[in-house]
Structure formats: structure tokens, C-alpha cells
Amino acid sequence: MSLVRAHNIGISLDGFATGEGLSLEAPFGHAGHRLMEWFFPTATFQGATGNRERVDVDPAADPDDVFARRAWEGIGAEIMGAGKFGPPGWQDDADWTGWWGEEPPFHTPTFVLTHQPRESIEMKGGTTFHFRNAPIEEVLAEAREAADGQDVRLGGGPSSLRDYLAAGLVDHLHVAVTPIILGRGVRLWDGLEALQDGYDVESTTTPSGVTHVTFDRKQG
Amino acid sequence: MSLVRAHNIGISLDGFATGEGLSLEAPFGHAGHRLMEWFFPTATFQGATGNRERVDVDPAADPDDVFARRAWEGIGAEIMGAGKFGPPGWQDDADWTGWWGEEPPFHTPTFVLTHQPRESIEMKGGTTFHFRNAPIEEVLAEAREAADGQDVRLGGGPSSLRDYLAAGLVDHLHVAVTPIILGRGVRLWDGLEALQDGYDVESTTTPSGVTHVTFDRKQG
């Protein structure tokens, strides 16, 4: 069975995964880029955005990349929430095709959860956006089918990720804790008391100051 | 000038420093001992509770102790909130002298913030409890005087610690993040947005799985 995985979810020490006041000009609201600053220097991000050839990197020289790159390994489909696809109100803009330009970094079928679905959009580089107004279990079943034996990545934002976690549908979760107090925004952990009971949990701090915490579903 | 320091403050990944439902039988509520499990095996805790001679320990063999032991170095007085001194309602029990038996592990003047002050209590081993119904700045001034050139430790609970943090009165803060989702209780970080701006922050994960995060007030 293919796995359901979420990677590179940036959160603050007080548990917020995104800020307040999201808009076209401020995709993460007042958080700005602070929860993802560890990610930008990684070879994975650099490779995903400009430099097309992902190079092999010495993990000791780029320890955050050890975590960052896993997000692209063995993924056959993505599911994201409406809040990740665009700023509030994108549903009213018929020309909106996401934040990522002509060639988004997904390279797979990508399912967007929204109460206002539209026609699928085929982008360059293998990403096709499908818009679904359906229960999360149904969308997962469709994404799994589309992934064709590979894993399904949950891209966030925090609200959709939390729904999948609460439903017990997530096999692997990787969060990166940046030691700032964000104060407001959307909390990742609300309603997930004792989540760790079903998982093996590991923490690793890197020299960038971020703590990577992974949750792997317990076997058997 | 002596410093104001807080150490060994256990919090969950979702930011709670104590659980819900505190009582005589459950001093940390539904959290139980889960936020302090990293602390119990340390040489510092073992020394503080039984074994009176604190021994020198190889930091590599007991990395959590590197953090744990600092809490007792150079401290001349302690301030704690009413919620730490006893279970809800201790103010109505004239015989209550704290959780710690005849010889509490403070060994200094210890100021308890409470709206129902009582006579001071002199315990064995150098701890004297003083009860104060006064603004936090006033109690700090008195504790500083009592510390006689040494530092003042803030012992928590989270509500009193948060008040001192919000007032900008804390020079050093050490929290130990246990990767569990507690779900409810008292949050440490509420009202402290952007606290990190005034501090140098460092994170370290130890093999116990806890991440120690220290905040040191920026100089100059």
C-alpha cells in the first residue's frame, strides 16, 4: 500500500504553521518567510526553483537538506488545501493557476480541496491541478489511484493537514520547528491531543537552529 | 546586576507547560510526568532528591544534565507562582508547606506569589517560603535583595513565568520541548509574540528526544 506523507511543514515554537492576514502580497501573512528560512538554502529548494539538476549533496554539509529532499522521493500525487493554492478569494479569479508560475514544483497530479471546484489545469512539467469538493477520504482514494503505486504527499496548509491527521490517515509527518513565537495564525496541532501515541517520534536539531521532528506510524 | 533566570521549563510540541485538571493527586493534571521525564534520570535530579552529593558527570554521558544542572548554579533566591506551590485550594489549608517535604530543593529564600499571603515558613536546608500579594516587579526587587548579588530563579508555573516574560524582566529562559501533543492545559507562549527578537536563541536535541531551547537576552 502506498503511504500518505507530509514533509517540510514549518511551525513556530508556539505551534503555528502559518500567520494571520494571508493575502496575495503576504502568502504566509505576518509570518512572512520566517517558518521556511531553513528551507531556502537547501540544495532541494535551489534545485526545485532554478537549477534543474538536483545534485548529490554531502548531508553533513547541508543537514537540513537530508529532510528537505525526502519530500520529493517516491511521490506520485499531491493533495493540498484551498488555502495553499492561492490567497483568500482565488476562487473568484478564473485566471488563477497557483503561486508557482508555468511550471509548478509538483510534477504529478495535484488535488486541490475546495468548495468551488473548476476544470482541471494542465501545467508544464507534469503538474495537473484537479479541484475537488469531496470528503477528504474520497480525494485521498482518487489521489492514491493517480499515484499509481507511489506515495501521496499532503502539501498543507495546516487546516487540511490537520483534518487528515485527525482522521488517522497520515503515515509520515515531518515538521520543522523554528524557535520563534509567532503569536497568531493557524495552529497545526489543535484537536490532535496524544497524536504521538500512534507514531514513533524523532527530533533532530540542525545548525540552522531548526528542529526537525518526524512522526512515523507505528507498525503492527 | 544579578540576572533573572528560568530553567527546566518542560513544554509540549503544542506549547503547553502544564496540563488540565491540576489536583493534589495530579500536580501536572492530565500531563502527568510526561513533560519532565527527560529530567528524572539526570544526575542533578537524582542528586537533588536522594543522593546528597552532586557528582561531576561526563556531559557526553548525560547530555540533559548539562542543561538541568544550570538551574542550581549561582541562584540566591526563587520566585514561584501560587500554582506551583500547591494544588488548587492550598491557601485554605493552614498546614500546607509545599510539595517538597521537610527539605525542599531550593535552599534559598523562595517567594510565592499569592493573593492570600500567610506567615513565612522556614524549612530545613535553607529554604524559607515568603508569601507575597504584590506586583511582580516589587516581588522581584525583594528577591533580588535577598539573593545578595546572586541570580534570581523563576520557578514557574507558566502563568507567573509568562507575566515576567511579558514585562521584559527575564534574562535567561531554558525550555525543554518534549515532542508530544498535550492538547490542553496552560500555554507558555500566549501573549509573547516575537519574544525571540530580544534574545539570542539556541536549540539542541539530546538522545532522550527532548529539544532544549535557550533564550539569552541580547547585549547592548
Side-chain angles (χ1 to χ4, degrees):
Chain A
M1 185 83 158
S2 70
L3 300 178
V4 178
R5 297 157 40 194
H7 294 262
N8 299 341
I9 307 296
I11 63 172
S12 63
L13 204 48
D14 50 344
F16 292 99
T18 195
E20 203 175 70
L22 310 190
S23 69
L24 185 59
E25 296 71 31
F28 303 100
H30 86 293
H33 288 126
R34 290 180 290 167
L35 298 178
M36 294 308 281
E37 265 166 12
W38 67 273
F39 180 60
F40 301 136
T42 61
T44 293
F45 181 78
Q46 297 295 327
T49 52
N51 200 352
R52 299 302 316 156
E53 295 300 309
R54 191 102 52 77
V55 290
D56 276 335
V57 178
D58 175 8
D62 192 358
D64 289 316
D65 194 57
V66 172
F67 294 92
R69 64 168 52 208
R70 289 180 190 155
W72 276 266
E73 293 170 354
I75 296 294
E78 161 121 355
I79 298 171
M80 68 172 69
K84 178 165 178 177
F85 187 68
W90 66 261
Q91 291 91 340
D92 302 321
D93 176 356
D95 296 327
W96 181 261
T97 59
W99 297 102
W100 304 277
E102 290 189 340
E103 189 174 343
F106 307 108
H107 311 297
T108 64
T110 298
F111 295 83
V112 180
L113 302 161
T114 172
H115 295 297
Q116 292 173 254
R118 56 176 64 183
E119 290 292 306
S120 296
I121 310 174
E122 198 176 328
M123 310 292 289
K124 281 190 190 167
T127 299
T128 301
F129 291 118
H130 301 289
F131 301 86
R132 294 291 181 266
N133 182 12
I136 60 172
E137 294 83 357
E138 255 177 52
V139 177
L140 175 56
E142 192 182 356
R144 227 192 258 279
E145 182 79 21
D148 194 22
Q150 297 204 81
D151 292 347
V152 175
R153 185 172 57 210
L154 302 176
S159 305
S160 67
L161 178 53
R162 203 198 298 131
D163 287 345
Y164 277 102
L165 286 164
L169 294 171
V170 180
D171 299 294
H172 175 86
L173 168 65
H174 160 234
V175 301
V177 183
T178 295
I180 64 173
I181 315 303
L182 203 56
R184 52 210 159 91
V186 182
R187 292 188 197 271
L188 178 60
W189 304 118
D190 278 7
L192 298 178
E193 180 176 335
L195 179 72
Q196 72 281 351
D197 288 352
Y199 293 87
D200 294 318
V201 182
E202 287 197 17
S203 301
T204 312
T205 300
T206 59
S208 67
V210 163
T211 301
H212 299 277
V213 186
T214 55
F215 293 71
D216 280 285
R217 196 198 289 274
K218 285 180 183 164
Q219 300 300 318
Chain B
M1 184 85 157
S2 70
L3 300 179
V4 178
R5 296 159 39 195
H7 294 262
N8 299 342
I9 307 295
I11 63 172
S12 62
L13 202 49
D14 51 345
F16 292 98
T18 196
E20 203 174 69
L22 310 190
S23 70
L24 185 60
E25 295 72 29
F28 304 100
H30 85 293
H33 288 127
R34 290 181 290 166
L35 298 178
M36 295 308 281
E37 265 166 12
W38 66 273
F39 180 61
F40 301 136
T42 63
T44 292
F45 180 79
Q46 296 297 327
T49 52
N51 198 353
R52 297 304 314 156
E53 296 298 310
R54 191 101 52 78
V55 292
D56 277 335
V57 178
D58 175 7
D62 192 356
D64 289 316
D65 194 57
V66 172
F67 295 91
R69 62 170 52 209
R70 289 182 190 156
W72 278 265
E73 293 170 354
I75 296 294
E78 161 121 355
I79 299 172
M80 69 173 69
K84 178 166 178 174
F85 186 69
W90 65 262
Q91 291 91 340
D92 302 322
D93 176 356
D95 296 326
W96 181 261
T97 60
W99 296 102
W100 304 277
E102 291 189 339
E103 189 176 342
F106 308 108
H107 312 296
T108 65
T110 298
F111 296 83
V112 180
L113 302 163
T114 171
H115 295 297
Q116 292 172 253
R118 55 175 66 181
E119 290 292 306
S120 296
I121 310 172
E122 199 176 328
M123 310 292 291
K124 282 190 190 165
T127 299
T128 302
F129 292 118
H130 303 290
F131 301 85
R132 293 292 181 268
N133 182 11
I136 60 171
E137 295 82 356
E138 255 177 53
V139 178
L140 175 56
E142 192 182 357
R144 227 192 256 281
E145 183 80 20
D148 195 22
Q150 296 204 82
D151 293 345
V152 175
R153 186 174 53 210
L154 303 176
S159 304
S160 67
L161 178 53
R162 203 197 301 131
D163 288 345
Y164 277 102
L165 286 164
L169 294 170
V170 181
D171 298 295
H172 176 86
L173 169 65
H174 161 233
V175 301
V177 182
T178 294
I180 64 173
I181 315 303
L182 202 55
R184 54 210 159 90
V186 182
R187 292 188 196 272
L188 179 60
W189 303 118
D190 278 6
L192 298 178
E193 180 177 334
L195 178 74
Q196 73 281 352
D197 289 351
Y199 293 87
D200 294 318
V201 182
E202 286 198 16
S203 301
T204 311
T205 301
T206 59
S208 67
V210 163
T211 301
H212 298 278
V213 186
T214 56
F215 293 70
D216 281 285
R217 196 198 287 276
K218 285 181 183 163
Q219 300 299 318

